[in-house]
Structure formats: C-alpha cells, structure tokens
Amino acid sequence: MQSKVSNHIVQGFLLAIIATLLWSGNFIIARKVSNTISPISLAFYRWACASLVLFPFAYKKATAELNHFKANWKIISLIALTGIALFNTFVYVAGHNTTAINMALIGTTSSPIFATIMAVIFLKERLGFYRIIGMIICILGIVLLISKGSWQVLFSFKFSSGDAWILGGAFSFAVYNILVRKKPVQLSSLSFLLIIFILGTIMLFPFFILEQIIVKDTVQWSSALISSILYLGVGTSVLAFWCWNLAISKLGAGRTVLFGNLIPIFSTIEAILILGETITPIHFYSGILVIGGLIIANLKFKNK
C-alpha cells in the first residue's frame, strides 16, 4: 500500500517537472525566433496549432458541454483573452527587446505577486505571515534583477521596453489565474482547454490579418521556425497542460504549484546552452531570492 502511494507521488513529481520543463521553453522560443516572425503571428500560429492538435481528443466532450459554455460565455471569454490571447503575445513582444533569462525571472515571479494582490482585493483572501514575507523577498529579487544590483540604476530607474512587456504579460496571466478559479465545475478540463484555445485564436485573428495588411511583416519560414511553432502548439500548450493537470490530481494543487519555481531555473539553463546568453551573479542572486520567496510564500499551504 505504501509502495503504491509512493509511486503515485513520484509520478506526480515527474509529471510536474515535465510540465515546467516544457513551459520554460516558451521564453527560449520567444527570444530565438524574434528575428523571423512577429509576436502576433507567432501567438496566432501557436494557438491555432494547439487547437487543431487538441480538437480530435476533446471535441466530443466540448459538444456535449456546449450549453454550459453558452451559459458562462462571459467569464470563459475573459479567461481566453487574458490567459491565451494577451499573455503569450506580450511574452513574444518582450522577446524582441529583452533576454530569455530576464523574461523567465521577471515573468514567472511577478505573476504570483500580482495574483496574490488581486486575490486579496477581489476575492477577499487573507494574507498569512509566510505569504507576506515571501512576497517581500520576491519583490526584492525582482528589484535586484532590474536594477542590476546598482543603487544608481535603481534611483534613475527606467523600465526597458522588454521588461515592461513581460510585466504586462505577467499581470495578464495573474488576471487569468484569478478568473480561472471561477471556471464552471460542470466543464471537463479537456473541453475547457479546447474552448479557450479556440477563443484565444479567434481573438488574435483580426490582429493577425491587420498585421499582414498594414505592417506587411513577412514570416521567414524555415524548418527551425516550423519546429518551434509545433513545440509551442503541442509541447507548451497541450502536453504541458495535460501533465500539469495530472500532477495536480496526484499531488494536489498546493504541492504542485511549488514546481512552478523550476521554470526560471530551466529557462536560464536553456538560455545559456541554446542561445549563448551569459548569466551574471545578479541573475544568480535574484533567482535565489525569488525562488526562495515563492517557497516561503507557500509554506502556509504545506502546513495545512
């Protein structure tokens, strides 16, 4: 009996690690293909690909649950807008203006802070001691990263455009995390993902067309770019969500969410190995602060 429980936990750990490893690649792709495809085109092709891949597996359930979608179309549309259409598009815009390491550290650590603040304001959640301390440590880590460890830079503080875009994406994803808690319980996870993927793609489509007409930003198609879009559509969109949801079922949400702290670590390693970016002591120290802060912020949940 104990062996079965142990295997269940190990499986949950592996699934959560796979999900975060897949998600970490999103920042690498955003940076790597920034010179070959525009942000809106990349986002549109990603979610169109994800929708097509998931459709055969989820359309029956989605059709059966269509009445529930119609009854809750407003909240579901907002979820698709913030989590699908806006968040990743902002990440891809940031990829044109900042490093993958900065995107991973700022994006994955500021979003939980935004989400916590909004949960207190709109959901009336109470902040415990550990969450307050953890948030303060996270903020210190982000300030250290953006200021590059210099008081002079901090006092003459000015966001780079890339850092501002990734913060905008983090805020959008935080709103998504608040809204997704209101997902109707009658909707299965698979059909819910399919619907928000399709809605996000539809929301991006007019801007995708405008981009082709007005900006005339030509995509430089290559096998590497096609592989990147497939990775985003299949890996970071379908497989990662599937692994994450399975991990939650095996470990519980409170324990699983801690694995999100691995994303900036994986992204930093990948940025060094794949993109040739350099890591500085500031990246190292800020990473320790934000990951440690997130762990401390979740201690309360572990003790429950």
Side-chain angles (χ1 to χ4, degrees):
M1 181 67 179
Q2 188 175 357
S3 177
K4 288 183 178 180
V5 173
S6 179
N7 289 336
H8 206 63
I9 293 174
V10 170
Q11 289 171 8
F13 286 170
L14 290 175
L15 287 164
I17 291 170
I18 291 170
T20 53
L21 184 59
L22 289 168
W23 276 327
S24 68
N26 192 34
F27 300 103
I28 307 303
I29 296 295
R31 186 63 177 165
K32 187 175 182 180
V33 304
S34 60
N35 294 323
T36 60
I37 187 171
S38 70
I40 294 176
S41 293
L42 181 59
F44 175 77
Y45 287 126
R46 170 190 176 171
W47 294 115
C49 175
S51 300
L52 289 172
V53 170
L54 191 58
F55 187 82
F57 303 99
Y59 81 96
K60 286 186 178 179
K61 279 192 173 183
T63 302
E65 298 170 355
L66 196 57
N67 287 335
H68 297 303
F69 283 109
K70 289 179 179 178
N72 299 277
W73 69 271
K74 289 183 180 179
I75 186 69
I76 293 172
S77 296
L78 286 173
I79 290 171
L81 174 66
T82 54
I84 306 300
L86 293 182
F87 166 55
N88 286 279
T89 305
F90 286 172
V91 170
Y92 300 149
V93 173
H96 287 248
N97 301 286
T98 191
T99 65
I101 294 175
N102 273 30
M103 283 192 289
L105 285 173
I106 296 173
T108 57
T109 56
S110 58
S111 187
I113 295 173
F114 289 141
T116 299
I117 294 171
M118 283 186 284
V120 172
I121 296 172
F122 298 109
L123 302 180
K124 308 302 180 184
E125 287 189 3
R126 295 182 62 186
L127 284 182
F129 173 77
Y130 290 121
R131 292 189 74 176
I132 293 172
I133 296 299
M135 280 179 58
I136 292 172
I137 294 174
C138 285
I139 292 170
L140 289 174
I142 294 170
V143 170
L144 177 64
L145 176 66
I146 295 175
S147 69
K148 299 179 176 62
S150 168
W151 287 107
Q152 186 176 358
V153 172
L154 185 60
F155 289 135
S156 59
F157 179 71
K158 184 179 180 182
F159 273 120
S160 72
S161 58
D163 293 338
W165 277 108
I166 198 63
L167 273 177
F171 179 79
S172 178
F173 191 63
V175 175
Y176 163 82
N177 282 323
I178 296 298
L179 294 174
V180 82
R181 300 186 193 185
K182 298 182 179 293
K183 179 184 85 69
V185 295
Q186 301 92 337
L187 302 178
S188 63
S189 296
L190 208 59
S191 61
F192 175 74
L193 287 179
L194 176 63
I195 293 298
I196 63 172
F197 286 0
I198 292 174
L199 284 176
T201 306
I202 292 171
M203 290 172 183
L204 286 167
F205 184 68
F207 300 97
F208 170 74
I209 295 299
L210 281 173
E211 186 178 66
Q212 309 307 308
I213 296 172
I214 299 174
V215 182
K216 296 181 180 178
D217 192 6
T218 305
V219 178
Q220 299 175 30
W221 289 106
S222 65
S223 58
L225 178 57
I226 293 172
S227 298
S228 297
I229 291 172
L230 287 174
Y231 174 83
L232 293 175
V234 179
T236 65
S237 302
V238 178
L239 291 180
F241 275 102
W242 179 70
C243 289
W244 189 256
N245 290 341
L246 279 178
I248 289 174
S249 69
K250 294 177 181 294
L251 301 176
R255 185 184 291 178
T256 304
V257 74
L258 291 173
F259 284 85
N261 301 327
L262 293 174
I263 294 176
I265 296 176
F266 288 148
S267 293
T268 299
I269 295 171
E270 291 163 2
I272 295 168
L273 296 178
I274 299 172
L275 302 178
E277 293 184 2
T278 56
I279 186 169
T280 67
I282 295 301
H283 286 112
F284 180 72
Y285 297 138
S286 64
I288 290 176
L289 282 172
V290 293
I291 293 171
L294 288 173
I295 292 173
I296 290 171
N298 281 278
L299 287 177
K300 177 180 178 181
F301 298 107
K302 291 175 67 177
N303 291 333
K304 277 190 174 181

